[in-house]
Amino acid sequence: MCGIVGYIGSGLAAPVLLRGLKKLEYRGYDSSGIALSEDNKIKVYKQVGKLDALRNRLEGKEFYATAGIGHTRWATHGRPSNTNAHPHTDCQGRFAVVHNGIIENYLTLKEWLISKGHEFLSETDTEVLPHLIEEFYEGDLMETVIAATRKLEGSYAMVVLSLDEPGRLVAARQDSPLVVGLGDGENFLASDIPALLCHTRKTYILEDGEIADITADGVRVIDQYGRPVDKQIFEVKWEAAQAEKGGFDHFMLKEIHEQPRALKDTLSGRIDPEGARIVLNEIGMTAEQIRNINKIFISACGTAYHAGLVGKHIIEKLVRVPVEIDIASEFRYRNPLVDDKSLVIVVSQSGETADTLAALRESKRKGARTLAVTNVVDSSIAREADDILYTWAGPEIAVASTKAYTTQLTCMYLVALYLAQQRGTLPDTEARSIIKELKKLSDKVKVILDNSHIIDQFVQDYRLSRSAFFIGRGLDYTVAMEGALKLKEISYIHAEAYAAGELKHGTLALIVEGVPVIALATQQELFEKMVSNIKEVKARDATVIALAMSGIKDIEKVADHVLEIPRTHPLLAPVLAVVPLQLLAYRMAVARGCDVDQPRNLAKSVTVE
């Protein structure tokens, strides 16, 4: 998944495609490619690495094609390579496809297509698409794409180029963005608006289930049932820099709003159709090896460490195996008691965090089985771990991690449920209950984002605060730590998180009139104790912003303000609870005039010790 461009018209396609891909470089990618309809052939050029590598490969070639598609790839299925790069073609080279998203049932489709005689070259899920189209094609590309999409499970934004119908591009969208740019005697496609702005500001924003038939002279859009859709032109008024952010003011805010999609993608293909079991084909351990694990270690840094803290809590509760968690920079210096019956889980968004990589290597040296949770395919940690669970968050540009964190949490739940089911420590009814709620998290995050204006009332009141405190118990304490980190790293407000039960052991000395205290109270079994802790800080004249599940009226009696999240299974509350805290930190930083996406002294990936 990553960036898509398409062109059809009277001009030369190749320069338009390369220019569009350049405009999408900010999204991050590991390879790029274009396909052109020319000389009664579909010519495909693709290259691992940066776009300049593709440009160098094309240097000196003359192109006459007036239709083509292009792609920058962020690897999900299959490592970065020339073979895995897009576009992908069918057996005969009659169809080329670029695709963003994840085809959940690609293995089933691939096996079926192989039985029909199709030959595959790559490791990607995308390659099933051109072969499906080849299999179903009977002379009408639009009808063929409709038939193919009916076979798909998962998310996709795809564009198809056909040798049989060279004056036509067909595009389809489900859960991944796709935009049509409207020109004069030419039309365009892109996954993001920046790729279009140098050509047109008139667009159609495709919605889920819509399919577009695009020629040089016009665009026809239908829904998944073949009914015409009367699209309204959306005229882009954003400047180019803002367009890269999808109309949001900052990448961080855009990435906060991408979390519903990221959560859905991370779960994609990892829950069986009945919603009863977790399917983690990425983990190669046998059932016997899983049963023989007698201790689990988690090692990570920063936000990933906070995800690991949630993982410790969940794994111990569901799997009933002791879990130790270490900040990666401390792990190997204490000579941890790791052996061949240990499972070591390392968590890193980039897969290049130096201290986490060192913890992985130390664990392997001691004979442990290692599992990496990372967002970047073929990163150092991904290459060296025994097993890899990718978060599929997509590129994250802002330094302050948001969607990477919530997808890391999701992976922690997947690992815990998977191990528990393999070891028989979780009743089926409870597993079904948790999995059912896990699948609803994406929609519930959307509810929080749709009501985020509630946070605005706090910002002006507290933006000049010099300190803030976050308190919670159990899982709420782990989320409080992440909330405090977000606030201090982008707003520069001194923020600390404390286990609420520790207030009497020193922290109360810092609670004075007007100090904002963000109190998390999502865990029902600890709710009464949390109310008592809120009363303690209120007695010292602190201002309390409480965060609780909706419908809990008792919290309104003790807090000055209440932020609500939708009800969910208590174990899953961290995924929802962190979103208002991300938004609070973001809006505080904006109100204080801070550089949100590039906070001082910090880098996205820490590759030195």
Side-chain angles (χ1 to χ4, degrees):
M1 64 172 72
C2 207
I4 286 173
V5 293
Y7 174 79
I8 190 162
S10 57
L12 296 179
V16 175
L17 299 177
L18 291 171
R19 192 180 305 121
L21 294 178
K22 184 70 176 177
K23 293 294 184 181
L24 297 179
E25 278 194 306
Y26 69 92
R27 290 173 56 89
Y29 63 100
D30 50 56
S31 58
S32 58
I34 62 172
L36 302 168
S37 179
E38 189 171 77
D39 297 333
N40 202 30
K41 295 179 182 178
I42 291 181
K43 298 181 179 179
V44 177
Y45 306 89
K46 47 190 184 177
Q47 187 68 42
V48 72
K50 293 302 181 183
L51 190 57
D52 283 345
L54 178 63
R55 287 182 181 278
N56 290 339
R57 183 176 174 187
L58 299 178
E59 191 173 356
K61 297 181 183 294
E62 292 189 26
F63 298 106
Y64 307 99
T66 58
I69 55 178
H71 192 266
T72 51
R73 178 176 187 251
W74 173 276
T76 54
H77 294 70
R79 64 186 179 84
S81 68
N82 288 348
T83 303
N84 289 334
H86 298 211
H88 288 286
T89 59
D90 64 302
C91 298
Q92 302 176 57
R94 293 165 58 206
F95 305 99
V97 177
V98 290
H99 161 242
N100 284 347
I102 296 169
I103 306 302
E104 294 181 18
N105 61 333
Y106 85 99
L107 286 174
T108 302
L109 292 172
K110 185 174 183 177
E111 289 173 4
W112 176 70
L113 288 162
I114 289 172
S115 75
K116 293 279 191 177
H118 293 263
E119 296 182 4
F120 285 75
L121 301 176
S122 78
E123 305 167 272
T124 68
D125 56 330
T126 297
E127 198 181 356
V128 301
L129 298 176
H131 290 287
L132 270 181
I133 291 165
E134 179 186 26
E135 182 68 26
F136 292 148
Y137 188 72
E138 294 183 350
D140 188 309
L141 187 60
M142 187 77 156
E143 292 299 322
T144 303
V145 171
I146 293 172
T149 58
R150 288 174 180 160
K151 292 286 187 181
L152 303 179
E153 297 172 13
S155 60
Y156 52 82
M158 65 170 163
V159 187
V160 185
L161 177 70
S162 169
L163 187 61
D164 297 75
E165 302 176 57
R168 187 182 201 186
L169 298 177
V170 175
R173 177 225 161 114
Q174 182 65 45
D175 291 328
S176 286
L178 200 55
V179 183
V180 179
L182 306 174
D184 183 9
E186 59 185 2
N187 289 297
F188 309 84
L189 276 158
S191 51
D192 270 3
I193 285 172
L196 305 174
L197 288 185
C198 58
H199 304 289
T200 182
R201 288 181 175 265
K202 293 181 178 180
T203 68
Y204 289 155
I205 309 295
L206 295 186
E207 302 296 337
D208 286 347
E210 291 183 345
I211 300 169
D213 185 4
I214 303 162
T215 67
D217 298 322
V219 177
R220 178 170 65 101
V221 180
I222 63 172
D223 66 15
Q224 57 194 321
Y225 305 106
R227 298 174 300 206
V229 177
D230 184 17
K231 297 295 290 184
Q232 299 298 309
I233 293 177
F234 173 69
E235 187 156 359
V236 181
K237 300 187 184 299
W238 310 327
E239 296 304 317
Q242 189 183 13
E244 290 185 1
K245 304 177 181 77
F248 294 101
D249 290 335
H250 298 91
F251 282 111
M252 182 182 177
L253 186 59
K254 178 175 183 278
E255 288 156 8
I256 289 172
H257 281 261
E258 287 175 340
Q259 287 177 116
R261 189 275 310 159
L263 291 171
K264 189 176 292 187
D265 283 352
T266 298
L267 292 175
S268 177
R270 290 167 170 168
I271 297 174
D272 73 359
E274 289 75 35
R277 298 191 68 81
I278 300 301
V279 181
L280 294 184
N281 296 320
E282 303 98 320
I283 294 180
M285 285 184 285
T286 65
E288 182 179 3
Q289 287 174 315
I290 291 173
R291 286 193 296 270
N292 286 338
I293 295 170
N294 62 17
K295 200 166 192 178
I296 295 173
F297 295 79
I298 301 175
S299 189
C301 300
T303 284
Y305 171 73
H306 296 156
L309 287 170
V310 176
K312 168 183 165 63
H313 186 112
I314 302 299
I315 292 170
E316 287 189 337
K317 189 172 186 68
L318 300 184
V319 187
R320 308 309 298 164
V321 171
V323 180
E324 290 189 16
I325 179 162
D326 284 89
I327 295 170
S329 58
E330 297 291 329
F331 179 76
R332 68 191 190 280
Y333 297 116
R334 69 177 181 88
N335 194 20
L337 300 176
V338 172
D339 58 27
D340 60 359
K341 288 186 170 58
S342 302
L343 172 64
V344 177
I345 303 172
V346 294
V347 189
S348 167
Q349 187 280 140
S350 68
E352 302 293 346
T353 310
D355 288 314
T356 309
L357 182 58
L360 169 68
R361 289 169 175 167
E362 176 70 4
S363 302
K364 289 177 71 70
R365 189 183 68 80
K366 289 176 175 285
R369 183 84 180 195
T370 56
L371 169 62
V373 175
T374 184
N375 193 33
V376 181
V377 174
D378 212 35
S379 57
S380 297
I381 284 172
R383 290 195 305 271
E384 296 192 27
D386 296 309
D387 304 294
I388 314 152
L389 199 59
Y390 290 115
T391 57
W392 294 341
E396 189 178 66
I397 295 169
V399 167
S401 183
T402 52
K403 63 179 180 175
Y405 172 73
T406 48
T407 53
Q408 286 165 356
L409 289 184
T410 304
C411 286
M412 291 291 105
Y413 293 119
L414 290 171
V415 168
L417 287 163
Y418 179 75
L419 295 179
Q421 290 183 315
Q422 293 294 314
R423 292 172 66 101
T425 56
L426 185 66
D428 288 345
T429 53
E430 187 175 352
R432 281 182 177 271
S433 174
I434 297 172
I435 291 170
K436 181 180 178 181
E437 286 300 312
L438 195 60
K439 293 166 69 176
K440 294 178 180 178
L441 287 177
S442 175
D443 290 337
K444 291 181 178 181
V445 171
K446 286 182 184 177
V447 171
I448 296 170
L449 295 172
D450 289 344
N451 292 280
S452 61
H453 60 276
I454 296 169
I455 293 168
D456 294 341
Q457 63 184 294
F458 311 131
V459 173
Q460 292 305 315
D461 291 341
Y462 306 119
R463 66 186 181 86
L464 299 179
S465 299
R466 298 181 64 183
S467 294
F469 296 93
F470 291 71
I471 59 174
R473 286 175 173 265
L475 280 171
D476 282 337
Y477 173 47
T478 66
V479 181
M481 295 173 72
E482 175 61 13
L485 175 61
K486 283 292 153 288
L487 186 64
K488 60 189 165 190
E489 72 179 326
I490 63 170
S491 76
Y492 314 145
I493 294 173
H494 169 253
E496 297 294 339
Y498 291 96
E502 283 290 291
L503 285 169
K504 296 187 187 71
H505 299 278
T507 311
L508 279 175
L510 297 173
I511 305 298
V512 295
E513 183 178 356
V515 168
V517 175
I518 295 89
L520 282 71
T522 71
Q523 301 298 301
Q524 189 59 41
E525 63 182 9
L526 295 166
F527 184 77
E528 290 183 2
K529 293 186 180 297
M530 195 63 210
V531 168
S532 296
N533 298 137
I534 291 172
K535 289 180 177 178
E536 286 176 341
V537 296
K538 283 296 294 176
R540 275 76 181 174
D541 296 320
T543 301
V544 175
I545 302 168
L547 193 153
M549 290 195 198
S550 61
I552 308 297
K553 299 301 181 184
D554 288 348
I555 199 74
E556 297 174 359
K557 300 173 184 176
V558 294
D560 297 286
H561 312 282
V562 178
L563 294 174
E564 290 187 338
I565 60 172
R567 286 181 173 270
T568 189
H569 192 290
L571 293 182
L572 304 178
V575 177
L576 301 181
V578 77
V579 178
L581 304 185
Q582 294 170 345
L583 289 164
L584 180 63
Y586 169 77
R587 288 183 176 153
M588 280 286 200
V590 171
R592 291 166 64 91
C594 301
D595 187 342
V596 173
D597 288 333
Q598 295 288 331
R600 67 190 182 204
N601 303 332
L602 300 178
K604 183 65 182 171
S605 180
V606 182
T607 57
V608 295
E609 291 188 45

